[in-house]
Amino acid sequence: VQLQASGGGLVQAGGSLRLSCAASGLTFSRYAMGWFRQAPGKEREFVGQMSRSGGTTYYADSVKGRFTISRDNDKKTVYLQMNSLKPEDTAVYYCAAKSTILTDIAVIPQSEYHYWGQGTQVTVSS
């Protein structure tokens, strides 16, 4: 199983980026997908989550209204559209996958995710 995150980069405050996470080696439609981030010197934190069906999403309060998760089960890819970026959004962003039989699911603790991507750096300059 591999989760390949991409799309990070350097952007000015107020700008946008779209991250992608391409999965391989698993039946993607059976996995809820999450995005997390870790800033220097800080613990990894929850950003957002989408159910396997795509019908349910959750976001951290800090990104609500600015970030949007979507998924394409045919392409085995989950996306994180990030708008109105702020310097405090600077972090390494990770995607994660959890196998679940539930089409919709409550917020998943980090420890319950089965697979993690390698991370992609997002830097927002002021």
Side-chain angles (χ1 to χ4, degrees), residues 53-112:
S53 69
T56 304
T57 53
Y58 296 99
Y59 298 96
D61 287 343
S62 58
V63 307
K64 203 171 294 183
R66 300 187 298 120
F67 290 12
T68 303
I69 298 174
S70 61
R71 65 189 291 161
D72 185 332
N73 283 352
D74 290 336
K75 293 184 178 179
K76 297 186 177 182
T77 302
V78 62
Y79 305 96
L80 181 66
Q81 177 66 44
M82 306 185 294
N83 299 328
S84 303
L85 282 161
K86 305 175 181 179
E88 51 263 43
D89 294 319
T90 295
V92 177
Y93 283 72
Y94 299 89
C95 57
K98 174 181 170 58
S99 175
T100 175
I101 63 172
L102 302 175
T103 54
D104 292 302
I105 192 170
V107 175
I108 303 167
Q110 287 193 41
S111 61
E112 293 188 11

Side-chain angles (χ1 to χ4, degrees), residues 4-11 16-22 35 79-80 82 85 93 118-123:
Q4 184 69 43
S6 62
L10 173 64
V11 63
S16 298
L17 282 175
R18 188 176 82 154
L19 306 184
S20 299
C21 174
W35 284 99
Y79 305 96
L80 181 66
M82 306 185 294
L85 282 161
Y93 283 72
Q118 85 291 357
T120 185
Q121 176 71 47
V122 172
T123 303

